[in-house]
Amino acid sequence: MSLKKKITMTVNGLTVNAEIEPRRHLVDFLREDLHLKGPHLGCEQGACGACTVKVDGKIIRGCLYLAVQANGCVVETIEGLTKSGALADLQEAFMRHNAMQCGFCSSGMLLAAAELVEKLPQSTREEVREWISGNYCRCTGYHSIVDAIMAVLQARAKGEKIKPVVALA
Amino acid sequence: MNKPVDLKGLVLDPVTNDQRYIGSSEPRHQARRLIEGQGTYVDDIQLPRMGHVVYWRSPVAHMKIGKIHTEQASKMPGVLAIVDGVKMAELCKPWVATLGHLAGMKSAPQYALAIDRACWQGEPVVAVVAETRAQAEDALQFVDVEWEELPAVVSMETALDADTPVIHPELGDNLCFTRTLDVGQVDEVFATADIVAEATFGFGRHTGVTLEPRCQIADYNPGDRRLTVYHSQQAPHMMQDLYCRQFGLSESDVHVICKDVGGSFGIKVHAYPDDFATVGLAMMLERPVKFVADRLESFTSDIHAREHRIKGRIAANKEGDILAFEIDDLTAIGPYSMFPRTSAIEGNQVVNLVGGPYKHQNYRAKLNVVFQNKTPTCQYRGVGHPIACAVTEGLVDLAAQKLKMDPLEFRKRNVIPDDAYPCSGISGIKLEVLSHEQCLRTIEKMMDYSALRKEQAELRKKGIYRGIGFATLIELTNPSPAFYGVGGARIASQDGASARLDPSGVVSILIGVGEQGQGTEGIYAQIAADAVGLSIKNVRIITGDTDVTPYGGGTWASRGAGVGGEAVLLACQALQENILKLAGAILTRSPEELSVRRGHVLDKATGEQLLPFSEIGRIGYFRTDTLPVGFSADLMVTRHYTQKEYPFIFTNGVQASYVEVDPDTGFVKLLKHWAVEDCGRVLNPMLVDEQVRGAIVQGIGGVLFEECIYDESGLLRNGSMADYLVPMANEMPDIEVAHVETPTQSSKLGAKGAGEAGTAGAPGAVQNAINDALAPFNTAVFDQPITCEKILKALGKV
Ligand code: FES
Ligand code: FES
């Protein structure tokens, strides 16, 4: 019943053209129209961070952001960032520390953590806790997430990479 | 940083003949999909012709439903159907959630969609199905229900008063269940004891707030008359059974699939009215229907838990021996007992568990479970344990204080000694083997207790008020059929696992217990790899599908490791035997001369590798012509396990909390938390640590922040994640975890549950720490959540 708007954006490296209702939220567009499963919906009101994605290099809450606002932008989700390897160190550290349980918060948590690693590489444990306080995790108790992020910060400070987690032969 | 896991004391004898994963902190390899955005949660599934349902829910606590006008709404774009309770009841029978072994328990029939009356704010009344969720929500606004507000029973304190309206007149009163227990000489002991301490403990209602809301897709195929339900659920077979019974189908007509589940904590182990309604809609419309609760719906329709008021007292002699406990527990559960586990279990657990860690011989308990017009309550992580523990441990601290004894010493003196097992607790619970003394010694060392006390005393002189609090606890895990089966509930306490050698040499495990984040898949892969004898890389775990997995109970009462894990172990050891038999047939040797190691069959004597598993698979499946006549390879085996020796296998542990209270603002800062946990054999220390920590943080939520707040008319005032506080990373302390391993003898694996003890102990430990900090002011708070305001009130500042 409403007027549709034409939009075009780059999502995980691919150009996307679509005609959508102006009220459609970015995360709904990504999930339902593009079938991306990475960004999740936990609250739909900006409180939990599960819907976090990147628009033009900045993390935003996909549930508060209209898809039409991203018209002409570069959008990245956990899927694209995994493929490009941008999150590899964090993902390996999350594996090693069991920093995810149900995993519903993980894409948002990883995107938030990646921004911290980039912007505040000297962070202390307390600062890491503060930084990720915009992202709910109901399962882990946060301790292991903080451990994982600290491990990446410490590795980066020494110029090292986190070793991939592999199973014994 | 996380200290490397202390593996000292974790070296139990191996359970398998090629053990290298069980007992180690192996990462959860299968979890990689979750951190790459490739999990499949229900909302990620889209089916062709799928409709979306939203529910018109009661806007008030209690109302009479009048005429329902749907003409306008049904003309809205995309609308497929609008269905009310009367129509739904033609398909779905009502249910009554009681258990036979809870004598005298009652509840009223409940419908998938309310008929005539709605009894809590959030009860589903009308279903609107449309082609998209947005269209359904648009149309919902045009559904016009005539209703008349009825008086609501809100306060549990007055629910049984003569002038309070009875919610279900046919039940006669608002009493769901009552129980009393009287053991020993309680009156005499209290009359003659050297000290008696008492307090009234309050517990706010709270809820699970799984990050993924409850959700479901029901799909009915009229061609083969089969119902498929994708569900974010903990107990797929239980739901299959319930759909059968409510809709008159047989098991083979119903297929329940649970893929990734975004948190559960007991919230997703119950059958909700909207679960049935969504299935009913799919059957009516003969097309898939998706329901995903929005956050407000979650707050008003997910089960709540823990609304209790308990008067408790404790008696001790001047030598420092606890002599008796007495409690009077009042709790309210909403208007219906929840299906099928019932809402009386929580209070019943409180009665069973108060005083549980201690040697006393006198105990009296009274329990009243009443109805009210609020969201139904039921089992949520820890079920009754956090309440029992906070009451017991609060009273223990009060007694120690009166006796001027150190609270840790007092506990050491009074816990049931480690060499006293097996024995019965005073409430009648059977305790197989526990380690309170060892746990108390461990935590004392771990936290450097004496140094901490010194620090506390010095800071106190400077006007800094810190407190140390302990909580000793027991937790029931590995349930037997005594939990539900004996009461008539069709909830499996057994679990089955199938182990299959695939032709490529990979082993697939099919099991009824699913993954909700605990690491179920991870530990099953560890057990399978060790028990069959191959790399964890070559193990696949398949769960959450009633068409393919053996029948099982799923995830509840911390049974995944102890019950599910044992089934996996038994199946895998049987598979190894069959592999050896087949290898013997291929090599024309006796299986006794052979063994298995790292994916190969070996000559037992020389260790020479004779056949890789892929060769066993090739011959076993494709060249059976080369095998002796009448030989069957049997490369898939199923074994079931049920724990029958005890009603439950109890675990134990102790927690300590260190906090700072600001007497000017009432603000509590959590400085540090310690936990020592004995869950029997530790299958994976890293996963247990994280179970313990996650559970502790949920317990901390309960004691400090979380509460479903209602107004006098029964309306929920904080139904959003912005208003309902759950712990965030910033307020949480680092949590140190240590293990004591006392395996259960009821299984080969020796594993007990580990999922809930953290939630059970944290509220008591934090409450005691706060009260220790407040001790110089001669005040204490026993009303959870312990907010700044309550602390300031206790201090007489507001
Ligand atoms: S879904 Fe966007 S912040 Fe919760
Ligand atoms: S892992 Fe479940 S919400 Fe974070």
Side-chain angles (χ1 to χ4, degrees):
Chain A
M1 64 174 191
S2 53
L3 285 176
K4 294 207 168 178
K5 288 260 183 286
K6 276 204 170 113
I7 55 166
T8 172
M9 60 177 90
T10 311
V11 179
N12 295 333
L14 293 175
T15 308
V16 174
N17 295 301
E19 219 176 18
I20 57 163
E21 286 187 28
R23 68 173 177 176
R24 195 154 185 72
H25 285 108
L26 179 59
V27 66
D28 291 331
F29 175 68
L30 295 172
R31 287 181 52 79
E32 287 167 20
D33 298 4
L34 305 188
H35 303 282
L36 289 166
K37 305 195 290 181
H40 299 137
L41 281 165
C43 67
E44 298 176 81
Q45 60 164 173
C48 75
C51 60
T52 305
V53 295
K54 266 177 140 179
V55 175
D56 283 349
K58 280 210 204 83
I59 57 171
I60 56 105
R61 310 224 142 179
C63 71
L64 295 183
Y65 204 91
L66 296 171
V68 289
Q69 283 177 274
N71 189 17
C73 297
V74 173
V75 177
E76 291 162 290
T77 72
I78 183 92
E79 287 97 331
L81 294 165
T82 298
K83 235 179 170 173
S84 73
L87 298 174
D89 271 1
L90 277 166
Q91 284 164 325
E92 294 304 331
F94 269 51
M95 285 292 288
R96 200 169 290 282
H97 292 269
N98 194 40
M100 66 289 160
Q101 287 189 18
C102 78
F104 205 74
C105 68
S106 302
S107 11
M109 199 62 92
L110 282 161
L111 262 62
E115 201 166 80
L116 167 95
V117 171
E118 189 185 314
K119 293 209 169 129
L120 294 171
Q122 314 287 343
S123 294
T124 61
R125 211 171 159 83
E126 290 64 46
E127 286 163 337
V128 169
R129 281 192 178 273
E130 200 178 324
W131 182 275
I132 60 168
S133 275
N135 290 66
Y136 279 70
C137 175
R138 191 55 166 167
C139 305
T140 62
Y142 301 109
H143 188 118
S144 58
I145 297 178
V146 179
D147 284 350
I149 298 172
M150 288 305 293
V152 171
L153 292 176
Q154 280 154 10
R156 292 273 162 112
K158 290 192 227 144
E160 291 167 2
K161 286 217 116 334
I162 302 274
K163 282 201 208 75
V165 171
V166 284
L168 297 173
Chain B
M1 270 306 287
N2 201 6
K3 281 207 199 131
V5 180
D6 181 8
L7 281 161
K8 269 189 269 112
L10 289 183
V11 275
L12 298 176
D13 289 341
V15 263
T16 69
N17 48 26
D18 183 16
Q19 185 162 320
R20 51 191 179 137
Y21 297 109
I22 294 175
S24 78
S25 288
E26 185 70 18
R28 293 162 58 200
H29 300 283
Q30 300 83 346
R32 192 173 281 279
R33 66 176 185 275
L34 305 178
I35 53 168
E36 296 190 345
Q38 298 295 349
T40 304
Y41 303 90
V42 168
D43 196 30
D44 297 329
I45 301 169
Q46 299 186 31
L47 301 178
R49 295 181 71 240
M50 186 170 77
H52 297 257
V53 59
V54 297
Y55 291 99
W56 190 95
R57 294 174 184 271
S58 171
V60 292
H62 199 188
M63 69 172 201
K64 190 163 172 33
I65 301 168
K67 228 172 141 5
I68 298 172
H69 304 276
T70 60
E71 307 73 33
Q72 194 71 20
S74 53
K75 284 191 210 124
M76 290 290 288
V79 171
L80 299 169
I82 301 181
V83 174
D84 64 12
V86 176
K87 182 109 193 282
M88 184 59 70
E90 290 170 12
L91 256 186
C92 180
K93 293 193 270 271
W95 56 87
V96 178
T98 54
L99 284 171
H101 63 308
L102 300 180
M105 186 193 173
K106 56 194 193 215
S107 186
Q110 192 181 359
Y111 289 84
L113 295 174
I115 297 177
D116 296 333
R117 268 186 326 140
C119 293
W120 82 89
Q121 181 200 17
E123 181 169 6
V125 178
V126 185
V128 179
V129 190
E131 276 164 17
T132 69
R133 166 84 175 255
Q135 286 171 332
E137 282 176 1
D138 288 345
L140 185 69
Q141 297 170 34
F142 294 92
V143 171
D144 182 13
V145 179
E146 289 180 17
W147 53 272
E148 180 192 321
E149 192 159 356
L150 297 171
V153 180
V154 181
S155 160
M156 62 183 184
E157 312 274 347
T158 55
L160 298 177
D161 291 358
D163 51 356
T164 299
V166 175
I167 297 176
H168 306 291
E170 71 274 22
L171 300 182
D173 56 26
N174 288 325
L175 186 63
C176 165
F177 178 62
T178 181
R179 180 182 168 198
T180 50
L181 191 70
D182 198 343
V183 192
Q185 307 291 321
V186 177
D187 286 330
E188 259 177 73
V189 171
F190 273 101
T192 56
D194 293 325
I195 63 119
V196 170
E198 59 179 65
T200 298
F201 298 82
F203 298 88
R205 255 182 182 248
H206 49 273
T207 182
V209 200
T210 58
L211 197 50
E212 175 205 41
R214 285 190 302 110
C215 48
Q216 179 195 19
I217 300 169
D219 184 10
Y220 185 71
N221 182 329
D224 57 11
R225 296 188 171 66
R226 281 202 98 206
L227 171 72
T228 302
V229 185
Y230 300 85
H231 213 161
S232 182
Q233 237 278 345
Q234 297 169 234
H237 284 103
M238 181 193 87
M239 291 313 296
Q240 178 193 34
D241 180 71
L242 294 177
Y243 293 139
C244 290
R245 287 193 291 152
Q246 298 317 117
F247 291 95
L249 305 166
S250 74
E251 282 85 357
S252 46
D253 296 334
V254 180
H255 181 191
V256 176
I257 301 170
C258 302
K259 296 189 174 230
D260 288 314
V261 173
S264 52
F265 321 124
I267 299 303
K268 295 175 182 167
V269 78
H270 309 290
Y272 291 85
D274 44 42
D275 290 338
F276 295 109
T278 305
V279 164
L281 293 165
M283 291 174 73
M284 282 177 205
L285 295 172
E286 300 190 343
R287 59 193 288 172
V289 176
K290 181 189 267 190
F291 166 65
V292 181
D294 70 23
R295 195 44 72 177
L296 174 61
E297 282 181 295
S298 299
F299 275 107
T300 59
S301 71
D302 287 4
I303 58 115
H304 295 177
R306 316 231 212 276
E307 183 173 4
H308 287 247
R309 202 254 305 117
I310 297 183
K311 283 191 202 134
R313 54 180 189 148
I314 184 171
N317 64 23
K318 56 180 183 309
E319 287 75 41
D321 300 310
I322 297 174
L323 304 173
F325 283 94
E326 179 172 12
I327 59 156
D328 183 347
D329 181 4
L330 174 66
T331 176
I333 58 160
Y336 298 99
S337 164
M338 196 72 192
F339 198 39
R341 284 163 198 264
T342 86
S343 309
I345 292 284
E346 187 184 74
N348 201 49
Q349 300 285 47
V350 173
V351 171
N352 286 339
L353 295 169
V354 163
Y358 300 104
K359 289 183 287 199
H360 68 106
Q361 287 305 310
N362 304 279
Y363 178 42
R364 186 187 289 141
K366 183 163 172 269
L367 167 70
N368 272 338
V369 180
V370 302
F371 294 111
Q372 66 187 159
N373 293 108
K374 292 184 188 173
T375 300
T377 72
C378 208
Q379 285 89 313
Y380 160 58
R381 198 173 198 171
V383 198
H385 294 66
I387 294 153
C389 180
V391 169
T392 305
E393 296 299 292
L395 291 171
V396 164
D397 264 21
L398 284 175
Q401 207 179 30
K402 275 206 167 173
L403 290 163
K404 300 202 167 34
M405 275 184 79
D406 178 86
L408 184 61
E409 282 311 310
F410 188 58
R411 284 177 173 80
K412 281 187 183 166
R413 185 182 176 97
N414 282 289
V415 287
I416 301 177
D418 293 358
D419 60 7
Y421 302 96
C423 66
S424 284
I426 187 74
S427 67
I429 50 177
K430 303 259 180 301
L431 305 168
E432 184 208 9
V433 56
L434 302 176
S435 59
H436 289 303
E437 291 175 315
Q438 202 188 336
C439 286
L440 287 168
R441 285 196 300 269
T442 309
I443 206 159
E444 179 171 18
K445 233 169 87 193
M446 196 176 160
M447 63 197 284
D448 200 348
Y449 183 53
S450 55
L452 215 58
R453 278 287 178 213
K454 246 185 239 144
E455 177 182 282
Q456 178 192 30
E458 269 153 35
L459 288 172
R460 202 169 275 183
K461 286 184 220 143
K462 295 186 200 149
I464 293 171
Y465 295 92
R466 290 191 171 181
I468 302 167
F470 290 99
T472 303
L473 66 103
I474 53 173
E475 189 215 337
L476 53 88
T477 71
N478 298 10
S480 76
F483 215 122
Y484 294 112
V486 294
R490 293 158 65 97
I491 296 168
S493 60
Q494 65 80 40
D495 242 277
S498 299
R500 184 181 73 210
L501 181 74
D502 292 333
S504 53
V506 166
V507 168
S508 295
I509 307 294
L510 299 100
I511 168 132
V513 183
E515 174 67 72
Q516 290 103 46
Q518 301 92 324
T520 312
E521 291 176 335
I523 58 161
Y524 293 164
Q526 289 177 270
I527 296 167
D530 283 350
V532 184
L534 76 170
S535 167
I536 207 166
K537 272 199 306 203
N538 294 327
V539 177
R540 304 283 175 275
I541 308 293
I542 297 155
T543 66
D545 187 325
T546 59
D547 265 10
V548 300
T549 67
Y551 211 93
T555 310
W556 51 276
S558 291
R559 65 188 294 286
V563 177
E566 185 73 3
V568 172
L569 178 75
L570 298 177
C572 288
Q573 288 185 329
L575 177 63
Q576 190 191 57
E577 255 177 59
N578 289 1
I579 288 172
L580 288 173
K581 270 188 219 154
L582 176 57
I586 296 169
L587 300 165
T588 56
R589 290 181 64 170
S590 154
E592 276 79 60
E593 294 168 23
L594 307 171
S595 66
V596 166
R597 193 174 148 81
R598 316 267 155 107
H600 283 81
V601 173
L602 318 177
D603 182 315
K604 206 191 239 168
T606 65
E608 185 197 346
Q609 290 192 350
L610 301 174
L611 289 172
F613 279 9
S614 53
E615 187 59 7
I616 303 271
R618 186 185 69 83
I619 297 173
Y621 291 116
F622 309 124
R623 292 305 309 271
T624 43
D625 57 318
T626 64
L627 297 172
V629 177
F631 183 89
S632 169
D634 295 340
L635 291 176
M636 178 160 177
V637 289
T638 300
R639 289 291 180 275
H640 291 261
Y641 174 70
T642 182
Q643 191 283 108
K644 280 191 293 207
E645 288 177 39
Y646 291 86
F648 328 99
I649 299 299
F650 274 91
T651 69
N652 68 286
V654 56
Q655 292 182 29
S657 170
Y658 191 39
V659 307
E660 185 172 310
V661 179
D662 180 340
D664 295 324
T665 61
F667 188 79
V668 176
K669 186 168 168 51
L670 299 167
L671 301 168
K672 184 96 192 187
H673 203 97
W674 298 266
V676 181
E677 162 108 354
D678 184 348
C679 61
R681 183 186 293 277
V682 174
L683 302 173
N684 182 321
M686 173 171 74
L687 298 192
V688 177
D689 285 358
E690 284 313 302
Q691 275 304 297
V692 172
R693 291 192 179 115
I696 286 173
V697 166
Q698 275 187 13
I700 290 174
V703 60
L704 289 181
F705 310 111
E706 297 184 41
E707 186 172 19
C708 302
I709 302 168
Y710 283 83
D711 69 12
E712 330 63 70
S713 56
L715 295 183
L716 183 66
R717 287 172 47 198
N718 58 343
S720 83
M721 273 189 167
D723 303 318
Y724 178 99
L725 302 180
V726 308
M728 301 301 288
N730 204 20
E731 303 99 50
M732 289 304 105
D734 278 347
I735 299 167
E736 235 177 274
V737 183
H739 308 277
V740 169
E741 285 190 290
T742 314
T744 167
Q745 301 301 319
S746 63
S747 68
K748 279 195 190 180
L749 201 53
K752 308 175 189 175
E756 303 172 85
T759 308
V766 173
Q767 161 199 279
N768 284 351
I770 292 172
N771 289 336
D772 185 40
L774 292 175
F777 303 96
N778 282 320
T779 188
V781 188
F782 295 104
D783 191 21
Q784 301 183 12
I786 302 178
T787 57
C788 301
E789 191 186 343
K790 287 177 190 167
I791 290 174
L792 290 176
K793 270 196 187 135
L795 290 168
K797 299 206 171 159
V798 293

